[in-house]
Amino acid sequence: MELTVYLAGQIHDDWRNELKEKARQKDLPLHFVGPQENHERSDNIGEDILGEQPNSIHRDDAASSINNFRTEVLLQKSDAVIALFGEKYKQWNTAMDASAAIQLNKPLILIRPESLVHPLKELSNQANVTVESMDQALEVLAYIYE
Amino acid sequence: MELTVYLAGQIHDDWRNELKEKARQKDLPLHFVGPQENHERSDNIGEDILGEQPNSIHRDDAASSINNFRTEVLLQKSDAVIALFGEKYKQWNTAMDASAAIQLNKPLILIRPESLVHPLKELSNQANVTVESMDQALEVLAYIYE
Amino acid sequence: MELTVYLAGQIHDDWRNELKEKARQKDLPLHFVGPQENHERSDNIGEDILGEQPNSIHRDDAASSINNFRTEVLLQKSDAVIALFGEKYKQWNTAMDASAAIQLNKPLILIRPESLVHPLKELSNQANVTVESMDQALEVLAYIYE
Amino acid sequence: MELTVYLAGQIHDDWRNELKEKARQKDLPLHFVGPQENHERSDNIGEDILGEQPNSIHRDDAASSINNFRTEVLLQKSDAVIALFGEKYKQWNTAMDASAAIQLNKPLILIRPESLVHPLKELSNQANVTVESMDQALEVLAYIYE
Amino acid sequence: MELTVYLAGQIHDDWRNELKEKARQKDLPLHFVGPQENHERSDNIGEDILGEQPNSIHRDDAASSINNFRTEVLLQKSDAVIALFGEKYKQWNTAMDASAAIQLNKPLILIRPESLVHPLKELSNQANVTVESMDQALEVLAYIYE
Amino acid sequence: MELTVYLAGQIHDDWRNELKEKARQKDLPLHFVGPQENHERSDNIGEDILGEQPNSIHRDDAASSINNFRTEVLLQKSDAVIALFGEKYKQWNTAMDASAAIQLNKPLILIRPESLVHPLKELSNQANVTVESMDQALEVLAYIYE
Amino acid sequence: MELTVYLAGQIHDDWRNELKEKARQKDLPLHFVGPQENHERSDNIGEDILGEQPNSIHRDDAASSINNFRTEVLLQKSDAVIALFGEKYKQWNTAMDASAAIQLNKPLILIRPESLVHPLKELSNQANVTVESMDQALEVLAYIYE
Amino acid sequence: MELTVYLAGQIHDDWRNELKEKARQKDLPLHFVGPQENHERSDNIGEDILGEQPNSIHRDDAASSINNFRTEVLLQKSDAVIALFGEKYKQWNTAMDASAAIQLNKPLILIRPESLVHPLKELSNQANVTVESMDQALEVLAYIYE
């Protein structure tokens, strides 16, 4: 049974490829999807497609409408969601995607460092499983196939 | 027609009472609900009710389970949601409540300072209305009664 | 049993007051809600609350976000919807509100002149009842209380 | 990951084939569905199958019931919806299909010329993305696969 | 706690008034709603409101659209449904209303004579409770208040 | 695009095989499912699996629970539903399946002879399309592929 | 803001009255509903209303259909659910009601003695809050009004 | 038509393999999924992945979060559910999974020995079919393919 997993979280480092590589090594029948990981492309996508916007507010709004379209299409195709929080950045769309996953009945694994236990406590309490590392998240996914 | 409005957001200052007072002055038939605003009580509620927990992780988990219970009861009783983001704090449960409101078809007003336009762009794009001040949020609510 | 009825349709003439007056004469326990009927206010509401926008596209977008917020709050409070199409104007938000009502299981009465039978045939086929006049629409509502 | 996209909009010119051809050139794994594009067949389908109807109102009603059946089957099979508005025609079933897509959680791209910004502002505000050309709509779809 | 109960079933005799009278005698806080009970009015309502129709098929279609509108409004306001089948008539809209109640999560009491056990077995199996008389149905409703 | 169609209706003659044969001749990519068509087996299935029941009421209840299980599994796998009413029999589970299809958003084609127009008018008004013959129903399905 | 709370759990002792009395002492605007607490009446209600059944299996089935009808009506009227597990009895309908509450988005408080931590761990993990005493459950409800 | 069936129930003996073997012998196109059947692994999975927990309560909570994640992923992929109750153990998560299946519209077969008729009567009344043996459950599944 193949499963599709949406990888929510920041796009400032290479964590998704690292996680995909680990999954490949475990030979799990998982298919991963997620947001645009090229940060600059993600920020520019509105003007790239729609042309120059009058100011930075509308530039951000144009980009986010296309990023949200992508997320909504892929989230609805997913069987489970992993949301990763790192120590940097505000990561509010990670929180937004995680909460959307909960409301849409997409089982959710939250990855967060111990330093974020307190500010993420309400979200952690609603997630199905909360772990501290990608390895643990993959073990949870692997457990489905045992 | 009375409406119930859930006030999501940080609980570090007195913004909810300020907003309620402004609504009273406008004589709007609005009933406001929201999270526990006493920060210490909110953090301690788990141990206050369930007794001492083995460590701070489980203390946070106990508190958040009761805070989430309160939020879920009140959010479901609400006709609309205001989510306010300030410049401080991570405010991830504000993002979580805002996203839950969107998925539950509760019309959402987002209040955020101009400095947060970029990190909140995806959430702003999904909210019904995004404003910068409580006065503007109240004007949006008042507009329903015009 | 009181019922709340949302009145979707153009806001260029006084049809809602006419319909409310007819309902009062029939002494029906109906409560009517609907969009902002002051056309200028409806078009300006974005800039009235959010301040000047960079161009007319964003001025329209700001206004529509607040008009949609109002519609969503009131539509969800309604037990039934009347959508009136006249011979002038494009009236696409009337079509949008009518279709939203159908999907939200809000029973829908469509009012349209005979001249619009052909272009409205798909919407008419999905509405619960299609009539040609406000008097007929009121008779349908009155029939609930017979 | 293959995606099925419903193409809502008028059926008076060949825009769907043009869009399909552009998608083929970009080699995107998209499968397009949509309404009957032969206008005469679409208007006659009621009498073609059910036989002569007593007048043009019932002829239209018979045709629309079969067109709506087709739309409902295909819309539910779709992962996303494109709704195109041109400058001519009333296009109310385009508005109806777009609004149904929104309520059914089918991510929606709206294509409309700049001349229609004002009358389509409420629908545009609810769509995920609004663009002005087919090329832009395809770029949005292509962005999912980047 | 007041409850609203929709009374689905044929409209050829006075069973609804009999049942309401029995409920009044038991002093139960029940509010009953249901279809138009004047059979002639129910059959004519289409032409009464919309004017003469081209033939009996369209006369029936016009009447049923208004009867269905009434049923949908009232069914959605109800907390429970009673569906009564008698030995005469085809009563297909009773079956339709009963099935709609099941799908809409409206708890359903089925009343049917012993002679109809076999043809109603699938519907009976889906109803919450099946009884043979109005007195038994009222006892089931009264049991809620014990 | 393959579609699965549930064939609701009486099981006293061979209409399903006739319809499947016609579909095969038209070379339509349709997959048909439906209830147990061996009438005796359908009536006996409760006792066949669960053993002898105390009386005919419970014998019917045992059979209907298994028939309903089958219907629910297959209806949920279907993209559209055809419900055929003939002139004989009460056919209440056909009405029940048709109404369930409507509530579950499964597009519905109703087949009924002209003699049943009046008693089926409310169900016909809720169906997507109403026709009088299997050939017409197949033409409606074929129209999806034009 | 008044809230209605469904009290799921065994009916062998007087815990509901004890809990109601405690709520009265705290002067909380709570309205409690729940199953029939007279155990004998609950077991006999099938035969009390429907008459003698052929054997104990069908006697139980008749009773449970009426008990489930009552539960479904009241659960849907509730804003929150308390499910209490004691050390005796199998209490499977308590588990069933608790799980139904979770799926219906009714916020759930689970009360269970420490001795049942292990067998109830999956249910506890899905409940919003798990406590060990009625006093703690009431404190959670009271917290909504702080 | 392949079907996926979730096997809820205790994990203390080998009943799932027995049932799968019987299905293989009947050559039914069924795919079975279910919980982790290695009891020790199921109880330890929390600490196996998340590391040592402060006490047995939190050890159980950690394990159950991962077991629930697995169940939710697999239950949502299933077309039907079998829930088996044996005479030993409390089996509350079997009751929980069975009730979740009912609320999620997953057709449910309940297997229970005659000795458990009384305590399981409310759950049995809500299940689609209740049988006493695995052979009977398989006959119900096989009946779909007749």
Side-chain angles (χ1 to χ4, degrees), chain D residues 124-143:
Chain D
S124 170
N125 178 263
Q126 290 205 2
N128 291 58
V129 185
T130 299
V131 300
E132 291 189 13
S133 70
M134 279 191 285
D135 285 312
Q136 291 172 320
L138 268 180
E139 284 181 68
V140 174
L141 290 173
Y143 181 68

Side-chain angles (χ1 to χ4, degrees), chain C residues 1-3 79-80 105-109 128-132 136 139-141 143-146, chain E residues 4 31 33 36 41-42 45 48-51 65-70 72-74 76-77 104:
Chain C
M1 177 180 283
E2 273 203 24
L3 295 173
D79 302 303
N105 271 341
K106 305 286 180 185
L108 173 68
I109 300 171
N128 292 58
V129 184
T130 299
V131 300
E132 291 189 13
Q136 290 172 320
E139 285 181 69
V140 174
L141 290 173
Y143 181 67
I144 297 175
Y145 296 103
E146 283 183 13
Chain E
T4 300
H31 176 63
V33 293
Q36 169 60 255
R41 174 70 166 156
S42 169
I45 186 66
D48 285 356
I49 294 182
L50 298 168
S65 74
I66 296 169
N67 287 323
N68 280 344
F69 175 82
R70 177 184 168 128
E72 191 177 331
V73 169
L74 295 177
Q76 294 198 15
K77 291 298 237 188
L104 293 168

Side-chain angles (χ1 to χ4, degrees), chain C residues 27-98:
Chain C
D27 208 24
L28 296 170
L30 297 171
H31 177 62
F32 294 100
V33 293
Q36 170 58 256
E37 293 172 60
N38 179 327
H39 195 188
E40 206 177 353
R41 174 71 166 155
S42 170
D43 276 0
N44 294 340
I45 186 67
E47 293 197 330
D48 285 356
I49 293 182
L50 297 168
E52 202 180 346
Q53 299 298 308
N55 56 38
S56 70
I57 294 190
H58 293 99
R59 179 176 171 274
D60 277 343
D61 192 46
S64 66
S65 74
I66 296 169
N67 286 324
N68 279 344
F69 175 82
R70 176 184 170 128
T71 300
E72 191 177 332
V73 169
L74 295 177
L75 200 57
Q76 295 197 14
K77 291 298 236 189
S78 299
D79 302 303
V81 173
I82 290 178
L84 176 145
F85 282 82
E87 295 193 327
K88 288 190 293 186
Y89 315 113
K90 296 194 176 288
Q91 310 171 82
W92 285 321
N93 44 9
T94 309
M96 181 179 83
D97 292 347

Side-chain angles (χ1 to χ4, degrees), chain G residues 53-104:
Chain G
Q53 299 298 307
N55 56 38
S56 70
I57 293 190
H58 292 98
R59 179 177 171 273
D60 277 344
D61 192 47
S64 66
S65 74
I66 296 169
N67 286 323
N68 279 344
F69 175 82
R70 177 186 169 127
T71 300
E72 192 176 333
V73 169
L74 295 176
L75 199 57
Q76 294 198 15
K77 292 296 238 190
S78 299
D79 302 301
V81 172
I82 290 178
L84 178 144
F85 282 82
E87 294 192 327
K88 289 189 292 189
Y89 317 113
K90 297 195 176 287
Q91 308 171 82
W92 284 320
N93 43 10
T94 310
M96 181 179 84
D97 291 347
S99 183
I102 292 163
Q103 300 299 331
L104 293 168

Side-chain angles (χ1 to χ4, degrees), chain F residues 6-126:
Chain F
Y6 187 88
L7 300 176
Q10 46 83 3
I11 56 175
H12 299 80
D13 63 34
D14 202 36
W15 70 272
R16 284 180 188 78
N17 284 332
E18 202 182 321
L19 188 140
K20 286 175 198 172
E21 183 51 35
K22 283 168 190 278
R24 227 178 338 253
Q25 283 162 18
K26 281 173 180 277
D27 207 23
L28 295 170
L30 298 170
H31 177 63
F32 293 101
V33 293
Q36 170 58 258
E37 293 171 61
N38 178 328
H39 195 188
E40 207 176 351
R41 175 69 166 155
S42 170
D43 276 0
N44 294 342
I45 186 66
E47 293 198 330
D48 284 357
I49 293 181
L50 298 167
E52 201 179 346
Q53 299 298 308
N55 56 38
S56 70
I57 294 190
H58 293 98
R59 180 175 170 275
D60 277 344
D61 192 46
S64 65
S65 74
I66 295 169
N67 287 322
N68 279 343
F69 175 83
R70 176 184 170 127
T71 300
E72 192 177 331
V73 169
L74 295 177
L75 199 56
Q76 295 197 15
K77 291 297 235 189
S78 300
D79 301 302
V81 173
I82 290 178
L84 177 144
F85 282 83
E87 294 194 328
K88 289 189 291 187
Y89 316 114
K90 296 194 176 290
Q91 308 171 85
W92 285 320
N93 43 9
T94 310
M96 181 179 83
D97 291 348
S99 182
I102 293 163
Q103 300 298 331
L104 293 167
N105 272 339
K106 305 286 181 189
L108 173 68
I109 300 171
L110 183 68
I111 309 178
R112 55 105 188 79
E114 206 186 330
S115 59
L116 294 183
V117 167
H118 188 68
L120 277 172
K121 67 182 185 298
E122 272 80 19
L123 192 50
S124 169
N125 177 265
Q126 290 204 3

Side-chain angles (χ1 to χ4, degrees), chain H residues 7-8 16 52 54 60 65 70 74 76 85 100 114 116 138:
Chain H
L7 301 176
R16 283 180 188 79
E52 201 180 347
D60 278 344
S65 74
R70 177 185 168 127
L74 295 176
Q76 295 196 14
F85 282 83
E114 205 185 329
L116 294 182
L138 268 179

